[in-house]
């Protein structure tokens, strides 16, 4: 990690960070997941802690180990992640939803290993809970940050998601661009609020993205616009 000291902008704040890609079971040995590495969420959790926050990290499947010294809850599915976040939600100040949550899950996961039979098979999927959307509805004083990974029309989709999920900030990245996205150590993001673009960041390490993002969030949580 990074040895530089960071201003304690989040001292006394309770922060929930979600990270990684959820795992949606097909049967006991098979599942559906996605390309999320967990690195962006882990960087946010680390920096929030450096800034003095009480950090709770809820993570699903990741490529790397979670940072040491942070309260961590490991989960699998979107449903598990929702329950874990709700258990921490009430007195939280800031929630950062960096996890890549599956949009659909198998309708009826098999209790024992499925056997092969015909030449084709169909897997029925049903929608998962949209955690961020539910939090957006339940929000009282929490500051909510959503993420969006897009391949096209980044700004349009980012604004639409920010509104639909009642987020305070939405961090969008174009995953088709070199140096951005899922498994990379760097990211190129645009931060939006309900009025539009707040900050367009150059290519930065995920740690630096986390620092800048949490600096913007902490200023806004104190009612200072930046
Ligand atoms: N999210 C969530 N629960 C879901 C799906 C998404 O909490 N079931 C959150 C993600 O953690 C992220 C934000 O919503 O912070 C945007 O996720 P994204 O997949 O980009 O948006 P969707 O609304 O699922 O739209 P789509 O996948 O169709 O682009
Ligand atoms: Ca999605």
């Amino acid at each position: 990690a990074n040895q530089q000291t960071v201003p304690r902008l989040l001292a006394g704040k309770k922060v929930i960070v979600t990270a990684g890609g959820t795992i949606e079971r097909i049967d006991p040995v098979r599942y559906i997941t996605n390309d999320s590495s967990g690195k962006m969420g882990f960087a946010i959790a680390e920096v929030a802690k450096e800034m003095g926050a009480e950090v709770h990290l809820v993570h699903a499947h990741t490529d790397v180990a979670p940072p040491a010294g942070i309260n961590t809850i490991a989960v699998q599915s979107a449903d598990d992640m929702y329950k874990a976040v709700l258990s921490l939600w009430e007195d939280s100040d800031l929630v950062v939803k960096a996890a890549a949550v599956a949009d659909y899950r198998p309708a009826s996961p098999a209790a024992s290993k499925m056997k092969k039979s015909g030449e084709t098979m169909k897997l029925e999927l049903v929608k998962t809970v949209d955690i961020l959307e539910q939090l957006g509805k339940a929000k009282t004083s929490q500051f909510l940050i959503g993420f969006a990974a897009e391949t096209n029309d980044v700004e349009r989709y980012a604004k639409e998601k920010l509104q639909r999920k009642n987020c305070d900030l939405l961090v969008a990245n174009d995953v088709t661009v070199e140096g951005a996205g899922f498994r990379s150590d760097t990211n190129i993001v645009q931060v939006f609020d309900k009025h539009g673009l707040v900050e367009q960041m150059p290519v930065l390490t995920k740690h630096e993205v986390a620092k800048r993002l949490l600096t913007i969030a902490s200023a806004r949580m104190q009612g200072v616009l930046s």
Side-chain angles (χ1 to χ4, degrees):
N2 172 310
Q3 296 309 310
Q4 269 176 288
T5 55
V6 175
R8 293 177 62 81
L9 298 171
L10 292 172
K13 302 291 183 195
K14 177 173 173 180
V15 177
I16 304 170
V17 181
T18 72
T22 65
I23 285 179
E24 310 299 332
R25 283 277 155 205
I26 298 168
D27 73 11
V29 297
R30 303 183 179 98
Y31 57 78
I32 299 172
T33 189
N34 60 63
D35 275 330
S36 174
S37 65
K39 288 175 184 172
M40 191 64 243
F42 287 176
I44 291 166
E46 267 183 316
V47 172
K49 193 185 176 209
E50 289 167 13
M51 289 183 170
E54 172 194 326
V55 181
H56 297 265
L57 174 61
V58 178
H59 74 86
H61 178 264
T62 61
D63 284 350
V64 291
I70 289 175
N71 312 302
T72 296
I73 304 178
V75 298
Q76 284 208 342
S77 66
D79 223 44
D80 297 342
M81 180 171 278
Y82 186 43
K83 288 187 187 116
V85 170
L86 280 187
S87 75
L88 297 161
W89 162 254
E90 210 169 29
D91 59 344
S92 65
D93 299 293
L94 168 62
V95 182
V96 188
K97 283 248 50 195
V101 182
D103 294 331
Y104 294 90
R105 63 175 169 79
S108 37
S112 47
K113 188 187 166 196
M114 290 165 75
K115 303 304 287 179
K116 66 183 165 193
S117 53
E119 289 306 308
T120 64
M121 77 164 288
K122 278 194 177 134
L123 187 62
E124 196 189 356
L125 304 177
V126 294
K127 238 188 203 147
T128 57
V129 56
D130 191 315
I131 302 170
L132 187 55
E133 196 171 319
Q134 293 308 312
L135 298 180
K137 284 185 185 141
K139 168 165 109 169
T140 50
S141 60
Q142 292 90 348
F143 193 92
L144 256 191
I145 305 180
F147 272 72
E150 306 291 354
T151 58
N152 58 289
D153 293 327
V154 176
E155 177 158 358
R156 181 163 66 86
Y157 287 129
K159 285 179 177 163
E160 181 274 320
K161 280 175 193 173
L162 180 116
Q163 242 178 12
R164 175 160 51 93
K165 305 192 187 207
N166 195 23
C167 296
D168 296 286
L169 292 174
L170 191 118
V171 183
N173 56 328
D174 183 337
V175 290
T176 62
V177 175
E178 183 85 28
F182 281 133
R183 297 193 187 276
S184 177
D185 288 321
T186 55
N187 212 354
I188 306 167
V189 307
Q190 292 176 296
V191 182
F192 295 91
D193 70 6
K194 64 173 187 273
H195 304 295
L197 185 66
V198 173
E199 192 172 322
Q200 158 90 64
M201 297 188 201
V203 55
L204 295 169
T205 63
K206 288 184 173 176
H207 193 272
E208 187 59 32
V209 171
K211 232 197 255 181
R212 294 195 189 191
L213 176 64
L214 292 176
T215 302
I216 298 170
S218 70
R220 287 175 176 233
M221 288 163 72
Q222 286 157 35
V224 187
L225 221 66
S226 90

